[in-house]
PDB file of all heavy atoms in Angstrom:
ATOM      1  N   ILE A 113       2.531  27.546 -18.866  1.00  0.00           N
ATOM      2  CA  ILE A 113       1.717  27.157 -20.006  1.00  0.00           C
ATOM      3  C   ILE A 113       0.341  27.941 -20.005  1.00  0.00           C
ATOM      4  O   ILE A 113      -0.377  27.998 -21.014  1.00  0.00           O
ATOM      5  CB  ILE A 113       1.454  25.586 -19.973  1.00  0.00           C
ATOM      6  CG1 ILE A 113       1.189  25.110 -21.389  1.00  0.00           C
ATOM      7  CG2 ILE A 113       0.313  25.150 -19.038  1.00  0.00           C
ATOM      8  CD1 ILE A 113       1.416  23.644 -21.573  1.00  0.00           C
ATOM      9  N   HIS A 114      -0.030  28.535 -18.786  1.00  0.00           N
ATOM     10  CA  HIS A 114      -1.246  29.263 -18.725  1.00  0.00           C
ATOM     11  C   HIS A 114      -0.930  30.731 -18.244  1.00  0.00           C
ATOM     12  O   HIS A 114      -1.144  31.081 -17.160  1.00  0.00           O
ATOM     13  CB  HIS A 114      -2.205  28.654 -17.733  1.00  0.00           C
ATOM     14  CG  HIS A 114      -2.699  27.333 -18.160  1.00  0.00           C
ATOM     15  ND1 HIS A 114      -3.533  27.129 -19.195  1.00  0.00           N
ATOM     16  CD2 HIS A 114      -2.577  26.044 -17.685  1.00  0.00           C
ATOM     17  CE1 HIS A 114      -3.803  25.880 -19.361  1.00  0.00           C
ATOM     18  NE2 HIS A 114      -3.227  25.202 -18.385  1.00  0.00           N
ATOM     19  N   PRO A 115      -0.272  31.601 -19.126  1.00  0.00           N
ATOM     20  CA  PRO A 115       0.140  32.868 -18.693  1.00  0.00           C
ATOM     21  C   PRO A 115      -1.076  33.769 -18.278  1.00  0.00           C
ATOM     22  O   PRO A 115      -0.892  34.753 -17.502  1.00  0.00           O
ATOM     23  CB  PRO A 115       0.797  33.466 -19.911  1.00  0.00           C
ATOM     24  CG  PRO A 115       0.334  32.661 -21.102  1.00  0.00           C
ATOM     25  CD  PRO A 115       0.061  31.282 -20.567  1.00  0.00           C
ATOM     26  N   ASP A 116      -2.311  33.431 -18.718  1.00  0.00           N
ATOM     27  CA  ASP A 116      -3.473  34.164 -18.407  1.00  0.00           C
ATOM     28  C   ASP A 116      -4.082  33.735 -17.053  1.00  0.00           C
ATOM     29  O   ASP A 116      -4.995  34.282 -16.418  1.00  0.00           O
ATOM     30  CB  ASP A 116      -4.614  34.020 -19.362  1.00  0.00           C
ATOM     31  CG  ASP A 116      -4.268  34.584 -20.737  1.00  0.00           C
ATOM     32  OD1 ASP A 116      -3.298  35.384 -20.813  1.00  0.00           O
ATOM     33  OD2 ASP A 116      -4.930  34.130 -21.780  1.00  0.00           O
ATOM     34  N   GLY A 117      -3.477  32.625 -16.452  1.00  0.00           N
ATOM     35  CA  GLY A 117      -3.928  32.091 -15.194  1.00  0.00           C
ATOM     36  C   GLY A 117      -4.729  30.733 -15.426  1.00  0.00           C
ATOM     37  O   GLY A 117      -5.225  30.558 -16.496  1.00  0.00           O
ATOM     38  N   ALA A 118      -4.674  29.932 -14.361  1.00  0.00           N
ATOM     39  CA  ALA A 118      -5.457  28.705 -14.422  1.00  0.00           C
ATOM     40  C   ALA A 118      -6.184  28.538 -13.100  1.00  0.00           C
ATOM     41  O   ALA A 118      -5.743  28.983 -12.128  1.00  0.00           O
ATOM     42  CB  ALA A 118      -4.625  27.551 -14.716  1.00  0.00           C
ATOM     43  N   ILE A 119      -7.391  27.927 -13.152  1.00  0.00           N
ATOM     44  CA  ILE A 119      -8.187  27.606 -11.970  1.00  0.00           C
ATOM     45  C   ILE A 119      -7.617  26.251 -11.302  1.00  0.00           C
ATOM     46  O   ILE A 119      -7.726  25.223 -11.959  1.00  0.00           O
ATOM     47  CB  ILE A 119      -9.629  27.468 -12.258  1.00  0.00           C
ATOM     48  CG1 ILE A 119     -10.109  28.787 -12.965  1.00  0.00           C
ATOM     49  CG2 ILE A 119     -10.424  27.178 -10.976  1.00  0.00           C
ATOM     50  CD1 ILE A 119     -11.390  28.522 -13.740  1.00  0.00           C
ATOM     51  N   PHE A 120      -7.037  26.376 -10.122  1.00  0.00           N
ATOM     52  CA  PHE A 120      -6.619  25.158  -9.473  1.00  0.00           C
ATOM     53  C   PHE A 120      -7.684  24.617  -8.490  1.00  0.00           C
ATOM     54  O   PHE A 120      -8.083  25.308  -7.595  1.00  0.00           O
ATOM     55  CB  PHE A 120      -5.287  25.418  -8.650  1.00  0.00           C
ATOM     56  CG  PHE A 120      -4.095  25.545  -9.519  1.00  0.00           C
ATOM     57  CD1 PHE A 120      -3.881  26.693 -10.255  1.00  0.00           C
ATOM     58  CD2 PHE A 120      -3.196  24.489  -9.656  1.00  0.00           C
ATOM     59  CE1 PHE A 120      -2.749  26.758 -11.076  1.00  0.00           C
ATOM     60  CE2 PHE A 120      -2.001  24.510 -10.460  1.00  0.00           C
ATOM     61  CZ  PHE A 120      -1.840  25.685 -11.182  1.00  0.00           C
ATOM     62  N   ALA A 121      -8.037  23.368  -8.748  1.00  0.00           N
ATOM     63  CA  ALA A 121      -8.962  22.673  -7.756  1.00  0.00           C
ATOM     64  C   ALA A 121      -9.372  21.298  -8.353  1.00  0.00           C
ATOM     65  O   ALA A 121      -9.270  21.064  -9.577  1.00  0.00           O
ATOM     66  CB  ALA A 121     -10.317  23.443  -7.632  1.00  0.00           C
ATOM     67  N   ARG A 122      -9.657  20.346  -7.474  1.00  0.00           N
ATOM     68  CA  ARG A 122     -10.099  19.033  -7.994  1.00  0.00           C
ATOM     69  C   ARG A 122     -11.437  19.313  -8.708  1.00  0.00           C
ATOM     70  O   ARG A 122     -12.271  19.881  -8.253  1.00  0.00           O
ATOM     71  CB  ARG A 122     -10.257  18.030  -6.797  1.00  0.00           C
ATOM     72  CG  ARG A 122     -11.012  16.830  -7.183  1.00  0.00           C
ATOM     73  CD  ARG A 122     -10.331  15.986  -8.237  1.00  0.00           C
ATOM     74  NE  ARG A 122      -9.246  15.161  -7.779  1.00  0.00           N
ATOM     75  CZ  ARG A 122      -8.023  15.099  -8.278  1.00  0.00           C
ATOM     76  NH1 ARG A 122      -7.682  15.926  -9.327  1.00  0.00           N
ATOM     77  NH2 ARG A 122      -7.071  14.304  -7.799  1.00  0.00           N
ATOM     78  N   GLY A 123     -11.530  18.779  -9.956  1.00  0.00           N
ATOM     79  CA  GLY A 123     -12.626  18.860 -10.817  1.00  0.00           C
ATOM     80  C   GLY A 123     -12.627  20.093 -11.709  1.00  0.00           C
ATOM     81  O   GLY A 123     -13.510  20.294 -12.547  1.00  0.00           O
ATOM     82  N   SER A 124     -11.587  20.953 -11.600  1.00  0.00           N
ATOM     83  CA  SER A 124     -11.549  22.236 -12.439  1.00  0.00           C
ATOM     84  C   SER A 124     -11.591  21.852 -13.942  1.00  0.00           C
ATOM     85  O   SER A 124     -12.262  22.457 -14.643  1.00  0.00           O
ATOM     86  CB  SER A 124     -10.325  23.034 -12.037  1.00  0.00           C
ATOM     87  OG  SER A 124      -9.179  22.290 -12.187  1.00  0.00           O
TER      88      SER A 124
END
Side-chain angles (χ1 to χ4, degrees):
Chain A
I113 209 164
H114 294 296
D116 299 338
I119 304 160
F120 283 78
R122 169 58 84 231
S124 54

